[in-house]
């Protein structure tokens, strides 16, 4: 589904990604772990099409297409969804208005009929309930004044409504209490299917107890330095990144 | 250097000559108004009542003395009214020019129970107005009517608040004060539907001027919403020079909303003068979308303890529009709060001014005043001059102010795009959202619906694709 080859990206004259290779097949869940500032969010943002990051080398194919030819909105139309590490507040635009506009643009692009306000509300209410999102948050301005946890739930809620083919979750587990974490994990697991794939960026093994990944990648200093199965996350939790660094250096 | 394209500087004497020439032409304009006054004063409603005649005469004398303000005056530094002063406006008559009830409908509140007073070129038009639903205890009608038939009813209040001594346009309005709305709400009355004052200008081949004058007397413990709107059906050059005086009684809760949607070639100058009594709440929502050159002034005098005053404003301009908002909150007594938020959207070569004054007088301890002004510049040629002016004479007060000028948030644009919304739509959604923060503060649903509609129509004329800032 997704193949990243030798990806280099920079921002502000700073090289951030320095040769990433990653292959994600349909049906798989990949976890990406790594210390602060290693480039995890940059990778996620590049996948979503954020243009402050300049790709200086490498290629990305998504469903057989060159991803760089697609605008951010076209990527969304093609089923890519990225849950932001820091969801953006949008004053004056209600959550439901925003999400209906999003869903309808995607549906339009796919040649499907748009949902009217009533039909959409029915869907939104049901999903909001499933993700323990207080209904009052639906009519409030997008993320404005939401607590940290509410923002993260809102991201997962959007994901559930938009039903992406490739979901990239950037630290969606950070700032969540244990109950919220389970709800989010349930949401992600519900999305799991043979024709979908999920990339989880996380710092904590905890999330991976609920969402069992097929692969765990360790990203350090703009490179994936180690790939393993789910046990790698456990080992990492016990021994820290220094261990990986040393292991790589001595290898 | 040879061949330099630099224009040679105008020699000093020539410049001085130009200045005096300009002054001359301005003073000639003032004479035009004086002539109009001399010839037409007997036609003004209620002529012959000594106090009224005197107010008008004093105001006329004051206008002649002051003259149109120049940009040398600090208060008019960024708004040049010379183009307006140069045009020989004629008093606008009651000319329908094909105006029908049907054509008015898009300016009206959809709420069936609401009342509306319609003025055409400043003249009360009972045929288009609807006052059937007004409850007992509230009077709403033509000021000219009152001045003709029962002037003592307004004598105590009319022209007592809006100071014409220091303000040329208020003086001009007062000299020619004739028609507009007079609203009086009896003590204790709670109006659940807004009263709409619709001022519509019909355009003729000569440039015309109207001086709408409104007086709103809200008795103690009343609650009401007054909605003033200024519109025109066609594009054309004319001037609206309006003054509204609002007297808010003790414990009253009054909301005033104004929508300015004049022709893009029109001049719109307006003063809203508010006098609040103790424990009253007054909220103003001023939405300015139209006009070529616009100046809105709001002066609120907090003349008792326990008053709350809220001033919200939105200006959205493009093309070569210029909009100037001057507000003054006068904290004259202790334990009052004032909250002010003005937001501006400026595109193309449009320019704006926000000047927010807060005066806290010596006795006004425990004052809590907040003022904010936020601007969104959509083009590199758009311009905003924003200035807070705090004059604090008491020591135990909390006064905060802040102004921001920014562009559409690129991170927010990306957030929307990453969810499938195209770039153009994303920008539109964000600009609209920026504006909506002001509209949302209005609690009257019919008003919100109308304003949303007008705002959407207005913003849809903004640039689609072009060089971004
Ligand atoms: N727009 C930008 N301009 C300049 N530097 C940037 C920009 N975005 C990221 N960086 C830098 O690139 C590096 C990687 O940032 P990134 O956000 O990808 O890290 P991360 O792995 O997600 O970290 P964390 O775990 O703290 O979220 C950091 O040093 C960061 O300061
Ligand atoms: Mg990150």
């Amino acid at each position: 589904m997704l193949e990243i080859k030798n990806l280099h990206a920079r921002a502000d004259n700073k090289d951030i990604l320095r040769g990433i290779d990653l292959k994600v097949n349909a049906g798989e869940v990949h976890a990406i772990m790594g210390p602060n500032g290693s480039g995890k969010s940059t990778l996620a943002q590049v996948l979503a099409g954020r243009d402050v990051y300049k790709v200086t080398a490498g290629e990305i194919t998504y469903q057989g297409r060159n991803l760089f030819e697609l605008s951010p909105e076209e990527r969304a139309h093609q089923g890519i969804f990225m849950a932001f590490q820091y969801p953006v507040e949008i004053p004056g635009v209600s959550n439901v208005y925003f999400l209906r506009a999003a869903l309808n643009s995607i549906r339009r692009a796919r040649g499907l009929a748009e949902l009217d306000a009533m039909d959409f509300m029915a869907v939104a209410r049901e999903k909001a309930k499933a993700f323990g999102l207080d209904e009052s948050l639906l009519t409030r301005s997008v993320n404005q004044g939401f607590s940290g946890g509410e923002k993260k739930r809102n991201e997962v809620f959007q994901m559930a409504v938009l039903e992406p083919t490739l979901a990239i979750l950037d630290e969606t587990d950070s700032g969540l209490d244990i109950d919220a974490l389970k709800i989010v994990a349930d949401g992600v697991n519900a999305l799991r299917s043979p024709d979908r794939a999920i990339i989880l960026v996380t710092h904590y093994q905890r999330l991976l107890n609920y969402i069992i990944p097929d692969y765990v990648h360790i990203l350090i200093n703009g490179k994936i330095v180690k790939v393993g199965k789910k046990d790698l996350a456990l080992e990492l939790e016990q021994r820290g990144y220094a261990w990986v660094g040393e292991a790589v250096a001595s290898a | 250097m040879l061949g330099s394209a630099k224009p040679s500087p105008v020699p000093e004497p020539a410049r001085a000559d130009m200045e005096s020439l300009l002054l001359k032409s301005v003073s000639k304009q003032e004479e035009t108004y004086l002539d109009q006054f001399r010839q037409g004063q007997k036609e003004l409603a209620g002529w012959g009542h000594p106090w009224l005649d005197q107010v008008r005469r004093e105001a006329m004398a004051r206008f002649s003395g002051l003259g149109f303000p120049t940009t040398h005056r600090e208060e008019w530094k960024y708004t040049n009214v010379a183009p307006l002063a140069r045009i020989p406006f004629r008093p606008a008559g009651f000319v329908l020019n094909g105006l029908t009830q049907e054509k008015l409908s898009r300016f009206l509140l959809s709420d069936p129970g609401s009342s509306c007073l319609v003025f055409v070129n400043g003249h009360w038009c009972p045929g288009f107005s609807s006052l059937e639903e007004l409850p007992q205890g509230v009077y709403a009608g033509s000021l000219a009517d009152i001045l003709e038939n029962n002037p003592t009813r307004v004598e105590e209040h009319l022209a007592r608040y809006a100071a014409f001594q220091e303000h040329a346009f208020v003086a001009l309005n007062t000299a020619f004060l004739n028609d507009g709305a007079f609203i009086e709400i009896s003590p204790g009355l709670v109006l659940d539907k807004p009263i709409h004052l619709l001022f519509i200008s019909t355009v003729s081949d000569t440039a015309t001027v109207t001086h709408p004058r409104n007086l709103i007397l809200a008795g103690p413990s009343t609650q009401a919403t007054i909605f003033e709107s200024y519109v025109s059906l066609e594009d054309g050059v004319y001037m609206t020079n309006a003054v509204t005086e609002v007297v808010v009684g003790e414990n009253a809760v009054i909301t005033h909303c104004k929508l300015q949607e004049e022709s893009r070639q029109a001049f719109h100058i307006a003063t809203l003068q508010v006098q609040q009594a103790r424990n009253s709440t007054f909220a103003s929502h001023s939405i300015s979308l139209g006009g070529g050159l616009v100046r809105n002034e709001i002066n609120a005098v907090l003349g008792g303890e326990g008053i709350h005053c809220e001033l919200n404003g939105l200006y959205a301009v493009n093309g070569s529009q210029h909009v100037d908002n001057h507000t003054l909150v006068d904290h004259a007594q202790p334990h009052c709060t004032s909250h002010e938020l003005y937001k501006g959207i400026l595109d193309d070569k449009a320019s704006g001014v926000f000047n927010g004054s807060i005066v806290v007088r010596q006795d006004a301890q425990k004052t809590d005043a907040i003022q904010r002004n936020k601007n969104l510049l959509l083009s590199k040629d758009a311009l905003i001059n924003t200035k807070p002016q705090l004059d604090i004479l008491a020591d135990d007060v909390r006064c905060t102010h802040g102004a921001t000028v920014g562009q559409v948030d690129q991170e927010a644009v990306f957030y929307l795009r990453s969810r499938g919304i195209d770039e153009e739509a994303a920008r539109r959604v964000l600009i609209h959202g920026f504006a909506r923060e002001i509209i949302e503060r209005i609690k009257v649903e019919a008003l919100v619906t109308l304003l949303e509609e007008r705002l959407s129509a207005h913003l849809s004329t903004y640039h689609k694709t072009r060089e971004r800032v």
Side-chain angles (χ1 to χ4, degrees):
Chain A
M1 175 181 294
L2 179 77
E3 190 163 7
I4 303 175
K5 282 189 193 153
N6 189 34
L7 179 68
H8 286 69
R10 61 183 352 207
D12 257 6
N13 287 326
K14 179 180 154 71
D15 290 316
I16 304 171
L17 300 183
R18 304 185 308 139
I20 301 263
D21 293 289
L22 181 67
K23 191 163 185 252
V24 178
N25 296 310
E28 292 175 351
V29 173
H30 290 245
I32 296 179
M33 304 183 81
N36 292 132
S38 56
K40 304 181 296 297
S41 294
T42 303
L43 176 61
Q45 299 259 341
V46 167
L47 287 172
R50 182 84 210 256
D51 65 3
V52 298
Y53 299 103
K54 301 278 172 266
V55 174
T56 50
E59 55 192 66
I60 304 179
T61 48
Y62 169 69
Q63 292 182 327
R65 294 183 64 174
N66 177 359
L67 192 67
F68 299 141
E69 282 171 2
L70 303 178
S71 66
E73 55 270 31
E74 286 167 336
R75 296 179 197 199
H77 300 162
Q78 302 294 325
I80 293 182
F81 177 95
M82 195 248 312
F84 283 59
Q85 182 176 5
Y86 304 109
V88 183
E89 299 194 0
I90 304 181
V93 180
S94 84
N95 221 2
V96 276
Y97 175 86
F98 155 64
L99 198 50
R100 185 160 79 93
L103 181 63
N104 280 337
S105 337
I106 292 174
R107 291 179 66 94
R108 248 195 328 272
R110 293 179 186 166
L112 299 170
E114 297 185 25
L115 291 188
D116 66 20
M118 289 261 282
D119 290 343
F120 176 77
M121 265 325 268
V123 175
R125 283 221 177 84
E126 183 206 313
K127 304 269 181 181
K129 209 170 154 202
F131 290 98
L133 196 74
D134 197 288
E135 236 187 72
S136 69
L137 296 185
L138 291 180
T139 49
R140 268 169 57 184
S141 290
V142 179
N143 294 325
Q144 205 184 24
F146 285 26
S147 75
E150 284 168 345
K151 282 182 184 168
K152 295 300 175 77
R153 285 192 208 205
N154 198 26
E155 293 291 288
V156 179
F157 162 65
Q158 291 174 25
M159 181 186 78
V161 172
L162 300 180
E163 299 181 319
T165 309
L166 173 65
I168 304 144
L169 284 81
D170 191 358
E171 292 199 32
T172 305
D173 53 334
S174 302
L176 289 185
D177 59 43
I178 192 74
D179 292 340
L181 189 75
K182 273 189 209 147
I183 291 170
V184 167
D186 288 347
V188 174
N189 285 329
L191 198 74
R192 270 181 107 150
S193 81
D195 50 5
R196 290 194 173 124
I198 295 159
I199 297 174
L200 296 171
V201 172
T202 182
H203 282 291
Y204 307 106
Q205 148 66 22
R206 205 176 55 170
L207 178 71
L208 306 180
N209 287 335
Y210 299 103
I211 310 172
I212 313 291
D214 298 297
Y215 297 95
V216 175
H217 307 262
I218 295 173
L219 184 64
I220 295 182
N221 207 2
K223 278 185 184 155
I224 289 177
V225 297
K226 203 167 171 64
V227 187
K229 294 283 183 180
K230 67 177 191 329
D231 310 336
L232 182 57
L234 269 175
E235 198 162 355
L236 202 61
E237 183 123 300
Q238 282 156 19
R239 305 172 75 168
Y241 290 114
W243 156 72
V244 191
E246 283 158 22
V248 170
S250 62
Chain B
M1 194 177 63
L2 276 175
S4 150
K6 243 187 190 169
S8 54
V10 181
E12 278 310 313
R15 216 182 253 171
D17 277 346
M18 261 163 52
E19 191 72 47
S20 63
L21 255 175
L22 201 69
L23 279 176
K24 258 190 201 129
S25 76
V26 168
S27 66
K28 203 169 143 222
Q29 274 315 312
E30 280 131 16
E31 248 176 68
T32 313
Y33 289 100
L34 206 59
D35 285 346
Q36 276 176 17
F37 183 73
R38 284 196 201 100
Q39 286 161 23
Q41 58 172 325
K42 292 187 182 163
E43 310 296 322
L44 297 172
W47 185 78
H49 292 284
W51 69 270
L52 190 56
D53 290 352
Q54 198 194 334
V55 164
R56 284 179 177 144
R57 270 199 305 271
E58 269 176 31
M60 194 67 232
R62 208 50 211 127
F63 171 74
S64 308
L66 288 166
F68 283 113
T70 67
T71 50
H72 298 301
R73 299 259 321 253
E74 188 59 31
E75 289 291 284
W76 293 85
K77 193 170 171 186
Y78 301 109
T79 297
N80 186 358
V81 297
L84 165 166
R86 258 183 240 122
I87 300 173
F89 290 103
R90 302 230 326 260
F94 183 86
V95 184
L96 286 183
N97 213 358
L99 183 65
T100 58
Q101 184 85 51
E102 206 187 329
K103 287 185 184 165
L104 281 182
S105 62
R106 70 180 152 119
F107 303 115
L108 299 176
L109 297 169
S110 56
D111 195 339
S114 56
S115 310
C116 184
L117 289 85
V118 177
F119 298 83
V120 176
N121 294 345
H123 303 276
W124 157 244
C125 181
F128 289 154
S129 303
S130 48
L131 295 167
E132 302 78 27
E133 306 284 339
L134 267 186
Q136 286 276 311
V138 48
Y139 179 91
S142 150
L143 180 67
D145 241 26
I146 295 287
L147 294 178
E148 275 299 328
N149 304 314
N150 190 8
T152 45
R153 186 163 176 185
V154 293
E155 183 176 349
E156 189 193 333
H157 296 287
L158 186 67
R160 305 295 180 203
Y161 308 100
F164 60 77
Q165 289 79 4
E166 290 311 319
H167 196 300
F169 289 97
V170 175
L172 197 59
N173 173 285
T174 307
F176 288 95
L177 82 78
N178 184 49
D179 209 351
F182 171 60
I183 298 174
E184 189 170 29
I185 309 167
S186 306
L189 195 69
V190 174
L191 290 175
D192 55 354
K193 306 272 176 168
I195 300 177
H196 183 185
L197 317 180
L198 174 62
F199 293 87
I200 181 154
S201 290
T202 63
V203 173
S204 56
D205 6 319
T206 52
T208 56
V209 57
T210 63
H211 305 280
R213 182 74 179 216
N214 305 307
L215 178 63
I216 297 158
L217 305 175
S221 303
T222 53
Q223 292 187 22
T225 299
I226 312 291
F227 172 43
E228 269 180 52
S229 63
Y230 293 83
V231 305
S232 82
L233 286 177
E234 356 23 20
D235 217 15
V237 179
Y238 62 90
M239 165 157 75
T240 302
N241 177 34
V243 173
T244 297
E245 289 173 297
V246 185
V247 182
V248 184
E250 228 178 275
N251 217 30
V253 180
I254 302 301
T255 298
H256 180 273
C257 183
K258 174 180 154 181
L259 173 63
Q260 184 277 112
E261 266 196 305
E262 306 266 28
S263 137
R264 293 203 156 227
Q265 297 175 57
F267 299 89
H268 178 93
I269 314 280
T271 293
L272 172 65
Q273 184 73 39
V274 185
Q275 183 72 36
Q276 285 188 256
R278 61 183 298 224
N279 295 332
S280 65
T281 296
F282 175 80
S284 153
H285 309 273
S286 169
I287 319 292
S288 219
L289 308 177
L293 189 156
V294 177
R295 165 86 162 209
N296 296 309
E297 290 190 28
I298 300 181
N299 306 311
V301 178
L302 281 47
E305 297 192 12
I307 288 173
H308 180 62
C309 175
E310 190 179 318
L311 303 182
N312 298 310
L314 171 68
Y315 43 100
V317 280
N318 64 0
S320 57
Q321 288 180 286
H322 175 82
V323 59
D324 177 339
N325 283 291
H326 265 65
T327 63
L328 166 66
V329 182
D330 183 351
H331 281 267
Q333 297 284 328
H335 298 286
C336 294
T337 54
S338 65
H339 290 177
E340 176 166 14
L341 173 63
Y342 266 69
K343 295 184 93 169
I345 298 167
L346 301 103
D347 199 0
D348 304 328
K349 290 184 158 64
S351 53
V353 178
F354 174 77
N355 190 108
S357 278
I358 299 173
V359 175
V360 181
R361 296 190 188 268
Q362 206 162 2
D363 297 333
Q365 301 296 359
K366 305 287 179 196
T367 286
D368 187 344
I370 302 174
Q371 177 192 95
R372 277 175 305 148
N373 173 228
K374 298 183 185 173
N375 297 282
L376 201 53
L377 296 187
L378 303 181
S379 100
K380 60 177 175 10
D381 296 322
L383 183 73
I384 178 77
N385 275 293
T386 172
K387 184 174 150 207
Q389 215 172 309
L390 306 186
D391 193 0
I392 300 169
L393 303 170
D395 44 29
D396 186 12
V397 302
R398 201 180 73 131
C399 272
T400 57
H401 66 88
T404 59
V405 179
Q407 281 91 42
V408 174
D409 178 5
Q410 284 310 309
E411 220 182 312
V413 171
F414 177 65
Y415 189 70
L416 297 183
R417 293 180 75 188
S418 79
R419 298 298 182 252
I421 299 169
D422 72 64
E423 187 175 5
E424 209 46 64
R427 279 173 66 86
R428 238 182 3 253
V429 165
L430 292 172
I431 293 165
H432 204 109
F434 179 84
R436 194 179 280 122
E437 194 188 351
I438 295 297
I439 312 275
E440 266 173 1
R441 294 175 172 223
I442 301 165
K443 299 297 170 219
V444 182
E445 207 181 303
L447 251 174
V448 172
T449 309
L450 180 77
L451 292 171
E452 277 282 355
E453 227 173 78
R454 305 310 303 150
L455 181 69
S456 296
H458 179 72
L459 289 178
S460 71
T461 69
Y462 281 50
H463 261 119
K464 302 278 189 260
T465 39
R466 85 168 112 109
E467 193 190 345
R468 296 276 144 65
V469 284

